[in-house]
Amino acid sequence: MILTGLDAILNVEDARRAARRRLPRGLFEYVDRGAEDENAIGGNRRDLDAVKLAPSVLVDVSQRTQEAEVLGRKQSSPLVIAPTAVAGLVWRDGEIALARAAAAAGIPFCVSTQSITSIERIAAESGAELWFQLYVWKNRERTLALLDRAWAAGARTLVLTVDTAVGPNREYNLRNGFGIPLKPSLRAGIDLALHPRWTCEVLLRSLIASGVPTYAHYPDEFRTQLGRVSLSDEMSLATDVTWEDVALLRKRWQGKLVLKGVLRVDDARKAAEHGADAIVVSNHGARNLDCAPGPVEVLPAIVDAVGDRLAILADSGVRRGADIARFLALGASGVLIGRATLYGVAIAGEAGARRVLDLLRNELSITMGMLGVRSLSELPGCLAPLPAGQAPRQAAIKAGAAT
Protein backbone atom coordinates (compact mmCIF):
# COMPACT_ATOMS: atom_id res chain seq x y z
CA MET A 1 0.00 0.00 0.00
CA ILE A 2 1.31 3.42 -0.97
CA LEU A 3 0.73 6.10 1.66
CA THR A 4 -0.55 9.45 0.43
CA GLY A 5 -1.46 12.82 1.91
CA LEU A 6 -1.05 13.17 5.65
CA ASP A 7 -0.84 9.38 6.00
CA ALA A 8 2.57 9.67 4.33
CA ILE A 9 3.78 11.98 7.12
CA LEU A 10 5.26 9.48 9.55
CA ASN A 11 7.46 11.78 11.64
CA VAL A 12 8.44 15.41 12.13
CA GLU A 13 11.19 15.20 9.51
CA ASP A 14 8.62 14.09 6.93
CA ALA A 15 6.54 17.16 7.83
CA ARG A 16 9.64 19.35 7.58
CA ARG A 17 10.45 18.11 4.08
CA ALA A 18 6.85 18.60 2.96
CA ALA A 19 6.83 22.13 4.40
CA ARG A 20 10.06 22.90 2.59
CA ARG A 21 8.47 21.93 -0.73
CA ARG A 22 5.36 24.00 -0.08
CA LEU A 23 6.75 27.23 1.38
CA PRO A 24 8.77 29.90 -0.40
CA ARG A 25 12.43 29.46 0.38
CA GLY A 26 12.77 32.68 2.37
CA LEU A 27 9.79 31.88 4.58
CA PHE A 28 10.84 28.27 5.12
CA GLU A 29 14.36 29.26 6.10
CA TYR A 30 12.99 31.84 8.52
CA VAL A 31 11.09 29.03 10.25
CA ASP A 32 13.72 26.32 9.94
CA ARG A 33 17.16 27.83 10.38
CA GLY A 34 19.19 29.30 13.22
CA ALA A 35 21.67 32.17 13.63
CA GLU A 36 25.15 32.96 12.32
CA ASP A 37 27.03 29.67 11.68
CA GLU A 38 24.08 27.62 13.01
CA ASN A 39 26.27 25.49 15.26
CA ALA A 40 23.66 25.57 18.03
CA ILE A 41 21.06 23.77 15.91
CA GLY A 42 23.36 20.78 15.56
CA GLY A 43 24.35 21.15 19.20
CA ASN A 44 20.76 20.86 20.37
CA ARG A 45 20.39 17.66 18.37
CA ARG A 46 23.64 16.15 19.61
CA ASP A 47 22.83 17.01 23.22
CA LEU A 48 19.43 15.35 23.05
CA ASP A 49 20.84 12.28 21.32
CA ALA A 50 23.48 11.98 24.08
CA VAL A 51 20.78 11.55 26.75
CA LYS A 52 20.34 7.80 27.09
CA LEU A 53 17.32 6.24 28.79
CA ALA A 54 17.69 2.73 30.20
CA PRO A 55 14.59 0.50 30.14
CA SER A 56 13.19 -1.63 32.93
CA VAL A 57 12.05 -4.98 31.58
CA LEU A 58 9.21 -7.31 32.50
CA VAL A 59 6.95 -4.46 33.55
CA ASP A 60 3.23 -4.41 32.82
CA VAL A 61 2.85 -1.33 30.57
CA SER A 62 -0.65 -2.10 29.32
CA GLN A 63 -1.98 0.96 31.16
CA ARG A 64 0.17 3.95 30.28
CA THR A 65 -0.77 7.60 30.69
CA GLN A 66 0.78 10.82 29.42
CA GLU A 67 -1.34 12.92 31.74
CA ALA A 68 0.71 15.82 33.09
CA GLU A 69 0.28 18.74 35.43
CA VAL A 70 1.58 21.92 33.82
CA LEU A 71 1.43 25.08 35.93
CA GLY A 72 -1.12 23.52 38.25
CA ARG A 73 -3.47 22.32 35.51
CA LYS A 74 -3.90 18.72 34.47
CA GLN A 75 -3.74 18.05 30.75
CA SER A 76 -3.63 15.04 28.47
CA SER A 77 0.07 15.37 27.65
CA PRO A 78 3.03 17.49 28.81
CA LEU A 79 3.08 19.58 25.63
CA VAL A 80 2.46 23.27 24.96
CA ILE A 81 2.50 24.80 21.47
CA ALA A 82 5.14 27.51 21.65
CA PRO A 83 4.65 31.09 20.42
CA THR A 84 5.79 31.70 16.85
CA ALA A 85 5.56 34.94 14.90
CA VAL A 86 4.88 33.66 11.38
CA ALA A 87 2.19 31.02 11.79
CA GLY A 88 -0.25 33.29 9.96
CA LEU A 89 2.12 33.41 6.98
CA VAL A 90 2.80 29.69 6.60
CA TRP A 91 -0.98 29.02 6.44
CA ARG A 92 -3.93 31.36 6.17
CA ASP A 93 -5.16 31.96 9.73
CA GLY A 94 -2.34 29.70 10.86
CA GLU A 95 -2.57 30.81 14.49
CA ILE A 96 -6.21 29.72 14.62
CA ALA A 97 -5.29 26.39 13.00
CA LEU A 98 -2.59 25.80 15.63
CA ALA A 99 -4.92 26.79 18.46
CA ARG A 100 -7.60 24.41 17.23
CA ALA A 101 -5.07 21.60 17.02
CA ALA A 102 -3.99 22.39 20.58
CA ALA A 103 -7.60 22.34 21.75
CA ALA A 104 -8.18 18.97 20.10
CA ALA A 105 -5.08 17.61 21.86
CA GLY A 106 -6.06 19.11 25.22
CA ILE A 107 -2.96 21.27 25.51
CA PRO A 108 -2.37 25.06 25.65
CA PHE A 109 -1.48 27.28 22.70
CA CYS A 110 0.76 30.29 23.34
CA VAL A 111 -0.16 33.37 21.27
CA SER A 112 2.73 35.57 20.17
CA THR A 113 2.88 39.34 20.61
CA GLN A 114 3.76 39.39 16.91
CA SER A 115 0.88 37.17 15.86
CA ILE A 116 -0.84 38.10 12.61
CA THR A 117 -4.20 37.07 14.11
CA SER A 118 -5.49 38.78 17.25
CA ILE A 119 -5.84 36.90 20.50
CA GLU A 120 -9.51 37.90 20.60
CA ARG A 121 -10.19 36.16 17.30
CA ILE A 122 -8.06 33.14 18.22
CA ALA A 123 -10.01 32.78 21.46
CA ALA A 124 -13.37 33.12 19.75
CA GLU A 125 -12.64 30.64 16.96
CA SER A 126 -10.50 27.96 18.61
CA GLY A 127 -11.81 27.13 22.08
CA ALA A 128 -8.19 26.55 23.17
CA GLU A 129 -6.57 27.30 26.50
CA LEU A 130 -4.50 30.34 25.55
CA TRP A 131 -1.23 31.56 26.95
CA PHE A 132 0.16 34.91 25.82
CA GLN A 133 3.80 35.57 24.96
CA LEU A 134 5.11 39.07 25.56
CA TYR A 135 7.86 41.12 23.99
CA VAL A 136 8.24 44.38 25.93
CA TRP A 137 7.80 47.53 23.86
CA LYS A 138 9.78 50.70 24.56
CA ASN A 139 6.54 52.33 25.68
CA ARG A 140 5.80 50.41 28.90
CA GLU A 141 2.28 51.82 29.26
CA ARG A 142 1.31 50.37 25.90
CA THR A 143 2.88 47.07 26.98
CA LEU A 144 0.73 47.03 30.10
CA ALA A 145 -2.33 47.84 28.02
CA LEU A 146 -1.54 44.78 25.90
CA LEU A 147 -1.50 42.67 29.07
CA ASP A 148 -4.98 43.90 29.93
CA ARG A 149 -6.11 43.01 26.43
CA ALA A 150 -4.70 39.48 26.70
CA TRP A 151 -6.36 38.97 30.08
CA ALA A 152 -9.70 40.21 28.77
CA ALA A 153 -9.44 37.70 25.90
CA GLY A 154 -9.08 34.84 28.38
CA ALA A 155 -5.33 34.26 28.66
CA ARG A 156 -4.32 33.34 32.19
CA THR A 157 -0.63 32.53 31.63
CA LEU A 158 1.85 35.20 30.54
CA VAL A 159 5.13 34.13 28.94
CA LEU A 160 7.81 36.83 28.94
CA THR A 161 10.54 36.09 26.40
CA VAL A 162 13.80 37.13 28.08
CA ASP A 163 16.43 35.92 25.61
CA THR A 164 16.00 38.48 22.81
CA ALA A 165 17.52 41.71 24.09
CA VAL A 166 18.58 42.60 20.55
CA GLY A 167 17.76 41.30 17.10
CA PRO A 168 19.66 38.12 16.15
CA ASN A 169 22.12 37.85 13.27
CA ARG A 170 20.44 35.70 10.60
CA GLU A 171 22.55 36.21 7.50
CA TYR A 172 20.57 33.79 5.35
CA ASN A 173 17.57 36.13 5.52
CA LEU A 174 19.72 38.84 3.94
CA ARG A 175 20.70 36.43 1.20
CA ASN A 176 17.25 35.02 0.50
CA GLY A 177 15.52 38.39 0.75
CA PHE A 178 13.09 37.48 3.53
CA GLY A 179 12.69 39.76 6.51
CA ILE A 180 10.34 42.02 8.43
CA PRO A 181 9.45 44.45 6.96
CA LEU A 182 8.87 42.43 3.79
CA LYS A 183 10.64 43.89 0.79
CA PRO A 184 9.63 43.18 -2.81
CA SER A 185 12.45 42.01 -5.03
CA LEU A 186 13.08 39.97 -8.16
CA ARG A 187 14.33 37.11 -6.02
CA ALA A 188 11.17 37.18 -3.91
CA GLY A 189 9.02 37.27 -7.03
CA ILE A 190 10.73 34.21 -8.46
CA ASP A 191 10.36 32.47 -5.10
CA LEU A 192 6.60 33.11 -5.14
CA ALA A 193 6.29 31.92 -8.75
CA LEU A 194 8.02 28.67 -7.83
CA HIS A 195 5.53 28.05 -5.03
CA PRO A 196 2.14 28.76 -6.66
CA ARG A 197 0.09 26.79 -4.17
CA TRP A 198 1.27 28.85 -1.20
CA THR A 199 1.08 32.05 -3.23
CA CYS A 200 -2.54 31.44 -4.21
CA GLU A 201 -3.88 29.77 -1.06
CA VAL A 202 -2.13 31.92 1.54
CA LEU A 203 -0.77 35.16 0.13
CA LEU A 204 -3.44 36.05 -2.42
CA ARG A 205 -6.33 34.96 -0.19
CA SER A 206 -4.95 37.10 2.63
CA LEU A 207 -4.49 40.09 0.33
CA ILE A 208 -8.06 39.78 -0.98
CA ALA A 209 -9.60 39.29 2.46
CA SER A 210 -7.72 41.84 4.55
CA GLY A 211 -4.82 43.33 2.62
CA VAL A 212 -1.16 42.99 3.49
CA PRO A 213 -0.83 41.23 6.89
CA THR A 214 -0.07 43.24 10.02
CA TYR A 215 0.90 42.46 13.59
CA ALA A 216 -2.54 42.18 15.13
CA HIS A 217 -1.56 43.16 18.69
CA TYR A 218 -0.04 46.52 17.90
CA PRO A 219 -2.29 49.51 18.70
CA ASP A 220 -4.41 50.52 15.73
CA GLU A 221 -2.61 53.81 15.24
CA PHE A 222 0.74 52.02 15.03
CA ARG A 223 -0.24 48.91 13.06
CA THR A 224 1.60 48.82 9.76
CA GLN A 225 1.70 46.37 6.92
CA LEU A 226 4.55 43.90 7.20
CA GLY A 227 6.00 45.55 4.12
CA ARG A 228 6.61 48.83 5.94
CA VAL A 229 8.74 49.99 8.81
CA SER A 230 7.14 50.85 12.15
CA LEU A 231 5.37 54.18 12.37
CA SER A 232 6.80 54.88 15.81
CA ASP A 233 9.93 53.99 17.74
CA GLU A 234 7.86 53.54 20.88
CA MET A 235 6.52 50.27 19.43
CA SER A 236 10.02 48.89 18.89
CA LEU A 237 11.11 46.03 21.11
CA ALA A 238 12.83 47.39 24.20
CA THR A 239 16.54 46.70 24.70
CA ASP A 240 16.49 47.88 28.32
CA VAL A 241 14.27 45.15 29.82
CA THR A 242 15.46 44.30 33.36
CA TRP A 243 14.30 42.52 36.49
CA GLU A 244 12.42 45.70 37.33
CA ASP A 245 10.16 44.93 34.38
CA VAL A 246 9.60 41.43 35.74
CA ALA A 247 8.58 42.97 39.07
CA LEU A 248 6.21 45.32 37.24
CA LEU A 249 4.65 42.46 35.29
CA ARG A 250 4.33 40.35 38.43
CA LYS A 251 2.48 43.20 40.10
CA ARG A 252 0.19 43.78 37.12
CA TRP A 253 -0.50 40.23 35.90
CA GLN A 254 -2.96 38.24 38.01
CA GLY A 255 -2.29 34.85 36.44
CA LYS A 256 0.74 32.63 36.01
CA LEU A 257 4.01 34.32 34.99
CA VAL A 258 6.60 32.38 32.98
CA LEU A 259 10.07 33.55 31.90
CA LYS A 260 11.14 31.93 28.63
CA GLY A 261 14.79 31.67 27.64
CA VAL A 262 16.61 31.01 30.93
CA LEU A 263 19.95 29.19 30.67
CA ARG A 264 21.72 30.09 33.92
CA VAL A 265 21.17 28.99 37.50
CA ASP A 266 21.58 32.52 38.85
CA ASP A 267 18.86 33.78 36.51
CA ALA A 268 16.61 30.89 37.50
CA ARG A 269 17.07 31.85 41.15
CA LYS A 270 16.25 35.49 40.37
CA ALA A 271 13.12 34.35 38.54
CA ALA A 272 11.96 32.55 41.67
CA GLU A 273 12.83 35.56 43.84
CA HIS A 274 10.76 37.84 41.58
CA GLY A 275 7.66 35.70 41.84
CA ALA A 276 7.76 33.82 38.53
CA ASP A 277 5.65 30.69 38.55
CA ALA A 278 7.79 28.94 35.95
CA ILE A 279 10.73 29.26 33.60
CA VAL A 280 11.37 27.76 30.17
CA VAL A 281 14.93 26.46 29.83
CA SER A 282 15.49 27.28 26.18
CA ASN A 283 18.00 28.67 23.69
CA HIS A 284 15.15 29.90 21.44
CA GLY A 285 15.47 26.89 19.18
CA ALA A 286 19.06 27.98 18.40
CA ARG A 287 17.64 30.98 16.54
CA ASN A 288 19.27 33.73 18.59
CA LEU A 289 22.74 33.22 20.09
CA ASP A 290 24.76 30.62 18.23
CA CYS A 291 27.27 30.15 21.04
CA ALA A 292 24.62 29.60 23.72
CA PRO A 293 24.46 26.23 25.47
CA GLY A 294 21.59 23.91 24.71
CA PRO A 295 18.89 23.35 27.33
CA VAL A 296 20.03 19.77 27.91
CA GLU A 297 23.41 21.03 29.12
CA VAL A 298 22.03 23.31 31.82
CA LEU A 299 18.67 21.76 32.71
CA PRO A 300 19.91 19.37 35.44
CA ALA A 301 21.73 22.12 37.34
CA ILE A 302 18.72 24.43 37.13
CA VAL A 303 16.37 21.69 38.33
CA ASP A 304 18.69 20.98 41.27
CA ALA A 305 18.82 24.67 42.20
CA VAL A 306 15.19 25.81 41.88
CA GLY A 307 13.06 22.81 41.02
CA ASP A 308 11.33 23.01 44.39
CA ARG A 309 10.52 26.73 43.97
CA LEU A 310 8.95 27.00 40.52
CA ALA A 311 7.90 24.89 37.57
CA ILE A 312 10.55 24.17 34.97
CA LEU A 313 9.61 23.72 31.32
CA ALA A 314 11.96 23.15 28.39
CA ASP A 315 12.09 23.54 24.63
CA SER A 316 14.42 23.63 21.60
CA GLY A 317 15.14 20.84 19.17
CA VAL A 318 12.29 18.40 19.84
CA ARG A 319 11.79 16.11 16.84
CA ARG A 320 10.69 12.83 18.42
CA GLY A 321 8.61 11.62 21.31
CA ALA A 322 11.85 10.32 22.79
CA ASP A 323 13.09 13.93 22.95
CA ILE A 324 10.07 14.83 25.07
CA ALA A 325 10.87 11.88 27.32
CA ARG A 326 14.48 13.05 27.59
CA PHE A 327 13.53 16.54 28.74
CA LEU A 328 11.10 15.11 31.28
CA ALA A 329 13.71 12.63 32.51
CA LEU A 330 16.09 15.55 33.08
CA GLY A 331 13.53 17.24 35.31
CA ALA A 332 11.24 19.35 33.12
CA SER A 333 7.53 19.18 33.91
CA GLY A 334 6.42 20.27 30.43
CA VAL A 335 7.83 20.70 26.91
CA LEU A 336 7.12 23.44 24.36
CA ILE A 337 6.91 22.54 20.67
CA GLY A 338 7.67 25.21 18.07
CA ARG A 339 8.99 24.31 14.64
CA ALA A 340 7.44 20.82 14.62
CA THR A 341 3.85 22.04 14.66
CA LEU A 342 4.72 24.91 12.30
CA TYR A 343 5.83 22.33 9.75
CA GLY A 344 2.52 20.57 10.23
CA VAL A 345 0.37 23.66 9.88
CA ALA A 346 2.37 24.70 6.80
CA ILE A 347 1.38 21.58 4.90
CA ALA A 348 -2.26 21.13 5.94
CA GLY A 349 -3.40 23.74 8.45
CA GLU A 350 -5.14 22.37 11.53
CA ALA A 351 -5.06 18.81 10.19
CA GLY A 352 -1.31 19.02 9.65
CA ALA A 353 -0.65 20.35 13.14
CA ARG A 354 -2.88 17.65 14.62
CA ARG A 355 -0.98 15.02 12.64
CA VAL A 356 2.34 16.18 14.09
CA LEU A 357 0.97 16.26 17.64
CA ASP A 358 -0.50 12.78 17.21
CA LEU A 359 2.83 11.48 15.93
CA LEU A 360 4.75 12.94 18.86
CA ARG A 361 2.28 11.60 21.39
CA ASN A 362 2.35 8.15 19.79
CA GLU A 363 6.15 8.16 19.80
CA LEU A 364 6.15 9.21 23.46
CA SER A 365 3.74 6.37 24.26
CA ILE A 366 5.98 3.85 22.48
CA THR A 367 9.04 5.22 24.27
CA MET A 368 7.30 4.87 27.62
CA GLY A 369 6.30 1.31 26.82
CA MET A 370 9.82 0.39 25.75
CA LEU A 371 11.23 1.96 28.92
CA GLY A 372 8.80 0.10 31.16
CA VAL A 373 7.18 3.23 32.60
CA ARG A 374 3.47 3.82 33.06
CA SER A 375 3.48 7.52 33.93
CA LEU A 376 5.67 10.50 33.11
CA SER A 377 6.79 10.78 36.74
CA GLU A 378 8.76 7.55 36.32
CA LEU A 379 10.95 8.89 33.51
CA PRO A 380 13.70 10.45 35.70
CA GLY A 381 14.44 6.95 36.99
CA CYS A 382 15.35 5.90 33.44
CA LEU A 383 18.37 8.17 33.01
CA ALA A 384 21.36 6.02 32.13
CA PRO A 385 24.67 6.79 33.84
CA LEU A 386 27.00 8.92 31.75
CA PRO A 387 30.00 7.19 30.21
CA ALA A 388 33.15 7.80 32.22
CA GLY A 389 34.58 10.19 29.66
CA GLN A 390 31.52 12.42 29.81
CA ALA A 391 31.25 12.68 33.57
CA PRO A 392 33.89 15.44 34.04
CA ARG A 393 32.28 17.55 31.30
CA GLN A 394 28.86 17.20 32.93
CA ALA A 395 30.32 18.19 36.29
CA ALA A 396 32.01 21.18 34.73
CA ILE A 397 28.78 22.26 33.07
CA LYS A 398 26.90 21.98 36.35
CA ALA A 399 29.57 23.92 38.25
CA GLY A 400 29.68 26.65 35.62
CA ALA A 401 25.92 27.00 35.38
CA ALA A 402 25.73 27.42 39.15
CA THR A 403 27.68 30.66 39.10
Side-chain angles (χ1 to χ4, degrees), residues 364-380:
L364 178 57
S365 179
I366 291 171
T367 301
M368 292 173 66
M370 289 291 185
L371 289 172
V373 303
R374 290 159 290 199
S375 68
L376 302 180
S377 62
E378 299 175 33
L379 285 170

Side-chain angles (χ1 to χ4, degrees), residues 45-375:
R45 184 67 261 157
R46 288 189 296 273
D47 289 344
L48 280 164
D49 287 340
V51 178
K52 304 301 181 183
L53 303 178
S56 294
V57 298
L58 299 177
V59 178
D60 180 357
V61 292
S62 59
Q63 301 295 321
R64 304 189 301 281
T65 176
Q66 296 181 29
E67 186 175 271
E69 185 172 300
V70 179
L71 292 182
R73 298 191 63 173
K74 288 187 177 180
Q75 52 187 68
S76 61
S77 80
L79 301 180
V80 178
I81 296 185
T84 51
V86 296
L89 288 180
V90 300
W91 188 266
R92 175 155 167 75
D93 293 335
E95 291 96 353
I96 294 174
L98 282 172
R100 286 175 174 167
I107 63 175
F109 169 68
C110 190
V111 181
S112 170
T113 290
Q114 296 180 331
S115 170
I116 293 169
T117 308
S118 70
I119 189 171
E120 292 88 355
R121 188 169 164 226
I122 296 170
E125 298 186 29
S126 72
E129 177 190 347
L130 299 183
W131 295 8
F132 187 76
Q133 176 270 339
L134 180 69
Y135 283 121
V136 177
W137 291 324
K138 288 187 177 181
N139 186 315
R140 299 304 199 268
E141 289 303 315
R142 292 192 180 276
T143 299
L144 295 176
L146 180 59
L147 295 192
D148 295 340
R149 181 177 168 185
W151 182 269
R156 294 297 179 265
T157 298
L158 179 68
V159 179
L160 174 65
T161 296
V162 296
D163 60 2
T164 314
V166 297
N169 184 22
R170 298 171 184 161
E171 296 159 358
Y172 52 87
N173 282 147
L174 298 176
R175 294 191 176 98
N176 64 34
F178 182 86
I180 304 296
L182 301 173
K183 297 178 180 179
S185 67
L186 177 61
R187 180 179 297 174
I190 295 173
D191 204 1
L192 295 182
L194 292 174
H195 298 84
R197 186 177 174 190
W198 178 88
T199 300
C200 293
E201 295 182 3
V202 180
L203 182 60
L204 292 181
R205 286 181 62 195
S206 296
L207 291 174
I208 292 170
S210 54
V212 177
T214 66
Y215 288 142
H217 296 119
Y218 283 54
D220 289 342
E221 61 269 35
F222 295 113
R223 286 180 64 182
T224 61
Q225 299 173 348
L226 296 189
R228 301 179 183 174
V229 297
S230 174
L231 290 175
S232 172
D233 186 56
E234 68 178 281
M235 304 313 300
S236 299
L237 301 186
T239 58
D240 60 347
V241 181
T242 69
W243 290 103
E244 292 182 3
D245 290 284
V246 175
L248 176 62
L249 295 176
R250 179 69 285 174
K251 183 177 180 181
R252 182 67 170 258
W253 184 257
Q254 302 173 52
K256 301 290 187 180
L257 176 61
V258 182
L259 305 189
K260 182 178 184 294
V262 174
L263 290 171
R264 293 170 56 109
V265 166
D266 55 350
D267 284 335
R269 289 194 176 110
K270 289 176 184 176
E273 292 164 1
H274 283 77
D277 297 286
I279 58 173
V280 183
V281 180
S282 165
N283 66 4
H284 212 101
R287 288 172 52 78
N288 280 2
L289 180 64
D290 199 34
C291 59
V296 165
E297 295 183 79
V298 298
L299 183 57
I302 290 174
V303 170
D304 286 347
V306 298
D308 59 343
R309 301 173 64 186
L310 41 65
I312 299 175
L313 313 178
D315 76 14
S316 300
V318 171
R319 292 295 180 270
R320 290 282 187 179
D323 296 335
I324 300 166
R326 287 165 164 141
F327 274 136
L328 298 176
L330 291 170
S333 60
V335 177
L336 278 67
I337 306 295
R339 288 186 181 95
T341 44
L342 266 186
Y343 299 144
V345 82
I347 60 177
E350 178 187 347
R354 290 177 69 164
R355 176 67 173 174
V356 167
L357 289 172
D358 287 344
L359 289 169
L360 288 172
R361 292 183 63 179
N362 182 58
E363 290 173 355
L364 178 57
S365 179
I366 291 171
T367 301
M368 292 173 66
M370 289 291 185
L371 289 172
V373 303
R374 290 159 290 199
S375 68

